[in-house]
Amino acid sequence: VQEPSWLSEEDADALLFTGLAVMGVAIISYYFLWKPEVQRPEQVRAPPRQPQYPPVVREEPDGEIGVMMASSTRHPPHMKDHLRSSSLVDGLVPFGATFASTFTGEEDMEQLRRDRAFVLARIQTLSTFTSFSFPPPRGNTIIVCFPEADVHCPKLARVLVLLGTYYNLFVVVGEATCQTYEMDHVPSQILPRHRIMAAKSIMGRIAVVRQLQRVEFVLDYNDTVQEELGRFGFRVILYNKPKKINNGTSKDTSLLGQVLLPS
């Protein structure tokens, strides 16, 4: 007995054709509508190159224009030649690029060296830093602080000349009543005016010193300055001994002058 068939052969062929047609439409739609575009390696565009411009070479003007421009260029009086900002060390003119490094003046250089050695030896006796190699190498930065009353002391000026011709010297005037100062008997090639700073209070003096970097030591006369700056790694050497008016010493002699140049 033959079982009855639900689909005839014609219906089965039609159903198969319909299924193949739907599958074909789905494949075509996938490739042309939904499949993401994949770029081949040779089709990937390289980023655009930045245009290379030739370096600009500026020639120095000659003749009267060059002389006029050179004369109008401002630079510190202690600097030998005009330096670019990239030549500075910690924002300062290097000691070797200043007139102080080769200063001779009108005195005997051998006497200048002997006096400097004496002053450095006196400073070493005041130092309490056992791990501090003294004296520091030539050309390093040091700071000398003293009160306004000592500005015109000849012995102090002598100390500044001796130190300023061996180190990158900065000065801070304490208890200041003015904004700018000039040191008598100290040439501007050794200590220009912009390196003489003023502070009215102890905290102001501390703030001024902290603006400088890589300072070998600070000469100061106040215990608070030593304590506060010591917290930030500064080596502060005190010379706060009481004044003694004897042995013909003038009352106008500065405290630092008495300590470092007693005779």
Side-chain angles (χ1 to χ4, degrees):
V1 179
Q2 187 177 2
E3 296 180 358
S5 176
W6 294 98
L7 295 174
S8 62
E9 292 182 1
E10 294 180 358
D11 293 336
D13 294 340
L15 183 61
L16 178 62
F17 177 77
T18 302
L20 293 176
V22 171
M23 187 179 298
V25 172
I27 293 174
I28 293 174
S29 301
Y30 173 76
Y31 275 98
F32 287 95
L33 296 179
W34 296 297
K35 184 179 180 180
E37 184 179 358
V38 179
Q39 293 182 342
R40 297 179 180 178
E42 59 272 11
Q43 294 178 342
V44 178
R45 295 182 179 180
R49 295 183 178 180
Q50 296 295 332
Q52 300 293 330
Y53 299 104
V56 178
V57 179
R58 298 181 179 179
E59 297 182 356
E60 296 293 335
D62 299 327
E64 296 181 359
I65 297 179
V67 174
M68 180 181 66
M69 292 184 64
S71 61
S72 62
T73 302
R74 298 183 60 185
H75 61 275
H78 68 304
M79 188 170 62
K80 291 181 181 178
D81 302 312
H82 182 68
L83 295 178
R84 298 179 179 179
S85 58
S86 59
S87 302
L88 303 179
V89 178
D90 295 329
L92 304 178
V93 177
F95 180 74
T98 64
F99 288 108
S101 62
T102 56
F103 180 82
T104 56
E106 300 179 355
E107 60 182 308
D108 183 14
M109 293 304 298
E110 189 63 30
Q111 183 63 41
L112 187 72
R113 295 188 186 96
R114 286 195 297 265
D115 292 347
R116 183 189 299 119
F118 178 81
V119 167
L120 290 176
R122 297 283 296 181
I123 295 176
Q124 187 175 12
T125 60
L126 301 174
S127 175
T128 57
F129 300 97
T130 56
S131 61
F132 179 35
S133 178
F134 201 92
R138 182 175 185 264
N140 287 9
T141 301
I142 66 171
I143 303 175
V144 177
C145 306
F146 50 84
E148 183 186 56
D150 296 347
V151 167
H152 301 291
C153 172
K155 280 193 174 183
L156 176 61
R158 180 61 176 172
V159 169
L160 297 180
V161 169
L162 296 174
L163 295 178
T165 52
Y166 199 76
Y167 295 110
N168 227 4
L169 177 64
F170 286 82
V171 163
V172 181
V173 180
E175 292 84 46
T177 58
C178 301
Q179 295 182 353
T180 60
Y181 291 89
E182 291 186 4
M183 299 299 302
D184 298 336
H185 311 294
V186 182
S188 60
Q189 293 87 349
I190 297 176
L191 185 62
R193 183 184 299 178
H194 70 274
R195 288 196 172 188
I196 305 175
M197 298 166 285
K200 293 183 179 180
S201 63
I202 292 177
M203 299 310 296
R205 195 157 76 247
I206 293 171
V208 170
V209 172
R210 288 187 58 194
Q211 302 305 311
L212 298 176
Q213 302 177 6
R214 300 184 186 181
V215 178
E216 285 295 325
F217 66 86
V218 180
L219 276 174
D220 199 271
Y221 53 95
N222 189 278
D223 298 313
T224 304
V225 174
Q226 184 185 48
E227 179 181 355
E228 293 296 325
L229 288 179
R231 296 167 52 192
F232 300 98
F234 287 89
R235 287 185 288 261
V236 181
I237 301 176
L238 292 179
Y239 62 92
N240 56 351
K241 295 181 180 180
K243 285 187 178 182
K244 294 182 179 180
I245 309 302
N246 53 18
N247 297 329
T249 302
S250 171
K251 64 179 181 179
D252 296 327
T253 301
S254 66
L255 178 60
L256 184 60
Q258 292 184 44
V259 173
L260 299 184
L261 293 175
S263 59

